[in-house]
């Protein structure tokens, strides 16, 4: 760990901005973030030469703060490459060869190569270790067949994080391997799925005799579950809404502003109840913000622990309650919905606030499913944090091929 303090980190960020500035119309996202990566200011907790300076994760806040203070154009990781940055980069860092780290990390950060996560299958979501897609070794390659589903952003992705079965005779967790999949390979077929918001944010992905070189494996053969845990733990931190640093900001602000704009309380009993409900939600949001801050500060560059599941569970459940309250404030107006979303996540900029709220209400239904359902988060927290008895797992030690399943 090197010892660069706050002052020097802020100076280095200002030096970067003197060379290349995101507000300059000739500098696009890739050019600016590429320079940020080369200065070691992308992820300061990553090693030098790989986008970082070998510092603690907490130190990133000084870089981000300087960027916010001195730039009108601030690129958000979630919109640049949510899955690549939140989950792909830490997994490549933990398990990739040196060559892979040099090849993949920079374009993940710049957003030039979007990544997706190919874990869930029609018969394996919560129990992802039970998945059925198969990879069979053929010389220096693996031939992969199977189907993935709910693969967010696959229709834009250059690469996917693929978990597949390489040994059906081993117990389910032991027979998996993890690959970086080039989404342009022959045999990879991506079909968008439309969701309740009108968008097609995710996809079915069919893998038909896809030939993947063995050199694209992350970790070793049979280590796929261990590598997946790194991805999943980082996903929970990313989905837990861990980035909100200002009290009262984020989705709770939408509700408070809406309430005030609509005249706040008129003294009626119904309004007093609503005011009480909003105050309760504000307090819960503040608790979530502080919980996330604690989870992030206990996490360095390695694999985050089960604390990520606290934020994920809280934010999923709270988000649903918050948008329900917004719709109640809107009354009848909340019942209409604008059609015409295209095949991608709409950015906040394209939607007016009312549309954003209605879209947020519909989208929030997915929060307690994506990245692990709320029931699964409760299982993880019960077992790994509270030390309660484990969920019943009758198939844990049996060869996967002998476990009864549909299809
Ligand atoms: C918006 C969105 C985006 C997604 N993006 C991706 C993606 O990019 N890549 C990807 O791989 N997947 C993605 N998913 C899939 C997601 O990870 C799965 O939907 C999720 O893990 C649940 O799996 P399932 O849908 O198969 O439900 P199931 O696992 O069949 O669960 C059905 C119900 O049973 C409950 N349940 C299951 N097991 C238990 C248990 N042991 N104890 C208690 N209750 C249990 C669940 O909580 C749920 O209520 C996405 C999902 C959504 C909604």
């Amino acid at each position: 760990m090197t010892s660069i303090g706050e002052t020097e980190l802020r100076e280095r960020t200002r030096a970067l901005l003197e060379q290349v500035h995101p507000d300059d119309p000739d500098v696009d996202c890739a050019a600016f973030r590429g320079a940020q990566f080369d200065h070691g200011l992308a992820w300061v907790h990553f090693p030098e030469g790989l986008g970082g300076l070998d510092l603690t994760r907490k130190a990133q806040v000084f870089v981000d703060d300087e960027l916010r203070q001195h730039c009108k154009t601030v690129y958000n990781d979630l919109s640049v490459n949510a899955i690549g940055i939140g989950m792909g980069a830490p997994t490549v860092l933990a398990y990739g060869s040196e060559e892979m780290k040099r090849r993949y990390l920079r374009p993940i950060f710049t957003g030039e190569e979007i990544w997706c996560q190919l874990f869930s299958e029609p018969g394996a979501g919560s129990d992802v270790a039970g998945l059925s897609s198969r990879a069979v070794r053929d010389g220096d390659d693996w031939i992969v067949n199977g189907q993935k589903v709910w693969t967010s952003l696959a229709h834009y992705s250059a690469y996917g994080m693929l978990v597949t079965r390489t040994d059906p005779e081993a117990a389910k967790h032991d027979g998996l391997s993890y690959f970086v999949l080039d989404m342009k390979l022959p045999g990879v077929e991506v079909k968008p799925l439309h969701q309740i918001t009108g968008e097609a944010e995710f996809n079915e992905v069919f893998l038909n005799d896809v030939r993947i070189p063995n050199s694209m494996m992350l970790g070793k053969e049979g280590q796929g579950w261990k590598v997946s845990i790194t991805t999943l733990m980082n996903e929970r931190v990313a989905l837990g809404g861990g980035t909100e640093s200002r009290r009262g900001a984020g989705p709770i602000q939408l509700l408070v502003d809406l309430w005030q704009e609509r005249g706040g309380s008129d003294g009626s009993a119904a309004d007093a109840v609503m005011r009480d409900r909003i105050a309760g939600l504000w307090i819960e949001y503040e608790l979530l913000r502080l919980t996330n801050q604690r989870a992030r500060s206990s996490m360095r560059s390695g694999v985050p622990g089960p604390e990520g599941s606290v934020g994920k569970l809280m934010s999923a459940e709270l988000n649903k309650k918050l948008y329900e309250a917004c719709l109640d404030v809107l009354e009848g107006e909340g019942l209409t919905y604008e059609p015409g979303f295209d095949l991608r996540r709409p950015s906040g900029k394209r939607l007016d606030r009312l549309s954003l709220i209605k879209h947020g209400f519909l989208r929030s239904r997915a929060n307690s499913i994506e990245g692990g359902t709320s029931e699964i988060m409760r299982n993880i927290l019960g077992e790994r944090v509270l030390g309660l008895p484990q969920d019943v797992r009758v198939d844990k030690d049996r060869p996967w091929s002998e476990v009864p399943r549909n299809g």
Side-chain angles (χ1 to χ4, degrees), residues 226-288:
K226 193 171 166 209
V227 184
S228 305
I229 292 291
T230 300
T231 311
L232 292 169
M233 291 298 188
N234 278 287
E235 177 175 32
R236 276 149 208 175
V237 171
L239 289 174
T243 48
E244 202 54 70
S245 56
R246 219 160 33 83
R247 175 180 290 185
I252 188 66
Q253 196 167 4
L254 275 178
L255 174 60
V256 173
D257 289 353
L258 186 69
W259 168 249
Q260 283 171 347
E261 224 176 77
R262 306 264 149 161
S265 179
D266 62 5
S268 67
D271 274 1
V273 170
M274 180 53 89
R275 196 180 51 188
D276 201 42
R277 186 169 159 199
I278 293 172
L281 288 169
W282 194 95
I283 291 165
E284 282 189 69
Y285 248 87
E286 181 58 6
L287 282 175
L288 171 65

Side-chain angles (χ1 to χ4, degrees), residues 333-347:
E333 222 182 312
L335 297 176
T336 57
Y337 189 64
E338 295 70 18
F341 287 108
D342 54 17
L343 296 185
R344 64 189 180 88
R345 290 167 195 255
S347 76

Side-chain angles (χ1 to χ4, degrees), residues 125-165:
S126 299
D127 180 26
V128 71
L131 58 79
S132 308
S133 63
R134 279 281 278 127
V136 177
R137 186 80 192 237
D138 182 34
D140 285 341
D141 299 333
W142 292 86
I143 312 284
V144 186
N145 280 285
Q147 188 201 332
K148 297 290 175 178
V149 74
W150 317 127
T151 318
S152 303
L153 305 179
H155 48 329
Y156 290 114
S157 293
Y159 291 96
M161 293 168 264
L162 171 69
V163 189
T164 183
R165 191 159 302 282

Side-chain angles (χ1 to χ4, degrees), residues 24-320:
D24 179 342
D26 294 331
V27 175
D28 63 11
C29 174
F32 177 69
R33 284 176 69 99
Q36 186 178 347
F37 184 95
D38 297 338
H39 278 68
L41 300 171
W43 302 292
V44 296
H45 54 290
F46 275 39
E48 286 189 49
L50 296 174
L53 294 168
D54 215 4
L55 304 177
T56 63
R57 182 183 279 266
K58 277 190 266 186
Q60 186 69 36
V61 78
F62 305 122
V63 176
D64 296 346
D65 188 49
E66 282 297 314
L67 295 179
R68 267 195 302 270
Q69 274 188 42
H70 299 286
C71 313
K72 284 198 201 91
T73 311
V74 178
Y75 296 108
N76 177 309
D77 287 350
L78 276 181
S79 40
V80 171
N81 194 359
I83 295 171
I85 293 172
M87 295 138 73
T91 310
V92 170
L93 182 69
Y95 288 100
S97 61
E98 281 312 305
E99 201 185 331
M100 286 170 124
K101 292 176 200 173
R102 297 207 175 275
R103 164 64 186 81
Y104 296 115
L105 292 177
R106 193 178 190 277
I108 286 179
F109 185 73
T110 60
E112 287 162 296
E113 287 174 353
I114 303 294
W115 279 47
C116 63
Q117 178 197 15
L118 296 148
F119 281 28
S120 303
E121 295 184 1
S126 299
D127 180 26
V128 71
L131 58 79
S132 308
S133 63
R134 279 281 278 127
V136 177
R137 186 80 192 237
D138 182 34
D140 285 341
D141 299 333
W142 292 86
I143 312 284
V144 186
N145 280 285
Q147 188 201 332
K148 297 290 175 178
V149 74
W150 317 127
T151 318
S152 303
L153 305 179
H155 48 329
Y156 290 114
S157 293
Y159 291 96
M161 293 168 264
L162 171 69
V163 189
T164 183
R165 191 159 302 282
T166 44
D167 182 0
E169 301 317 317
K172 65 177 181 180
H173 292 93
D174 300 331
L176 302 171
S177 299
Y178 193 124
F179 295 90
V180 174
L181 172 68
D182 178 346
M183 297 293 287
K184 300 285 175 298
L185 282 179
V188 179
E189 193 185 349
V190 178
K191 290 190 176 170
L193 290 166
H194 283 264
Q195 63 205 57
I196 194 172
T197 57
E199 303 151 282
E201 177 185 329
F202 45 38
N203 304 265
E204 293 177 296
V205 178
F206 297 90
L207 305 164
N208 302 314
D209 289 330
V210 181
R211 185 172 278 276
I212 308 180
N214 187 52
S215 58
M216 298 298 269
M217 191 181 277
L218 277 186
K220 296 196 174 69
E221 184 181 339
Q223 250 194 357
W225 183 248
K226 193 171 166 209
V227 184
S228 305
I229 292 291
T230 300
T231 311
L232 292 169
M233 291 298 188
N234 278 287
E235 177 175 32
R236 276 149 208 175
V237 171
L239 289 174
T243 48
E244 202 54 70
S245 56
R246 219 160 33 83
R247 175 180 290 185
I252 188 66
Q253 196 167 4
L254 275 178
L255 174 60
V256 173
D257 289 353
L258 186 69
W259 168 249
Q260 283 171 347
E261 224 176 77
R262 306 264 149 161
S265 179
D266 62 5
S268 67
D271 274 1
V273 170
M274 180 53 89
R275 196 180 51 188
D276 201 42
R277 186 169 159 199
I278 293 172
L281 288 169
W282 194 95
I283 291 165
E284 282 189 69
Y285 248 87
E286 181 58 6
L287 282 175
L288 171 65
R289 188 182 72 87
L290 296 173
T291 304
N292 281 331
Q293 265 182 13
R294 199 178 48 177
R296 286 166 78 81
S297 66
S298 69
M299 194 172 112
R300 294 195 172 207
S301 59
V303 181
E307 67 274 6
S309 301
V310 182
K312 160 74 173 84
L313 173 63
M314 261 180 102
S315 83
E317 297 303 322
L318 202 49
N319 231 16
K320 290 200 289 191

